Amino acid sequence: MPPKDWDVFQDSHHRPHLVIIDLPRASGARARQLGLSFLERLAEELRLDGPYAMNANRADIQVAFENDIDAKRFADALQAKPHGKDAAWASTARCSLDRSAKRRITSSLRLAHLKLAKRRAD
């Protein structure tokens, strides 16, 4: 499912789940766009069931989910940690997205695909 428009999603979902991905300090517009593209590909790879939306800010990218299971799977893939309570969100998690995190995530997705392909062959 492709991401929804942030404002439309916010208007139609009461207290969704939020994952905040911090970008490196010196991130410009291009780095934000690359981070957003990376996270969109991750969401596609995870084959999320419910609607979600992404919003790129100067210092982070916010991803909101309708479904708590989707939020947890996405957060787990990023190794995001729970991040306090907020009345606007059902849950929040936070992590960083730097080169090493991207490599780790890409590597773990490849391993998961290889395991899945091996199971299908058996």
Side-chain angles (χ1 to χ4, degrees):
M1 176 176 288
K4 305 269 186 205
D5 176 77
W6 182 260
D7 292 327
V8 171
F9 184 89
Q10 291 293 91
D11 289 343
S12 63
H13 293 84
H14 177 68
R15 293 196 70 223
H17 304 271
L18 179 69
V19 178
I20 303 166
I21 301 96
D22 293 318
L23 298 171
R25 279 192 182 180
S27 295
R30 177 144 170 75
R32 279 192 301 279
Q33 187 55 47
L34 290 172
L36 198 55
S37 295
F38 180 83
L39 295 171
E40 287 172 353
R41 285 192 311 275
L42 174 61
E44 287 173 16
E45 289 287 325
L46 293 173
R47 294 186 178 107
L48 304 173
D49 292 329
Y52 64 95
M54 295 187 181
N55 183 43
N57 296 313
R58 280 206 151 135
D60 62 37
I61 297 173
Q62 298 175 331
V63 187
F65 299 89
E66 174 184 82
N67 184 323
D68 64 331
I69 294 170
D70 286 344
K72 180 165 177 22
R73 287 180 57 219
F74 194 81
D76 286 350
L78 293 165
Q79 294 183 352
K81 304 293 183 222
H83 185 69
K85 302 278 185 190
D86 187 323
W89 306 99
S91 67
T92 59
R94 187 171 216 132
C95 64
S96 295
L97 187 63
D98 55 16
R99 281 188 199 158
S100 64
K102 286 181 180 180
R103 280 194 293 269
R104 183 189 71 246
I105 294 161
T106 302
S107 176
S108 65
L109 286 173
R110 278 193 200 120
L111 277 171
H113 283 288
L114 289 174
K115 288 179 184 177
L116 183 60
K118 187 175 179 180
R119 279 191 212 148
R120 288 181 183 162
D122 290 343

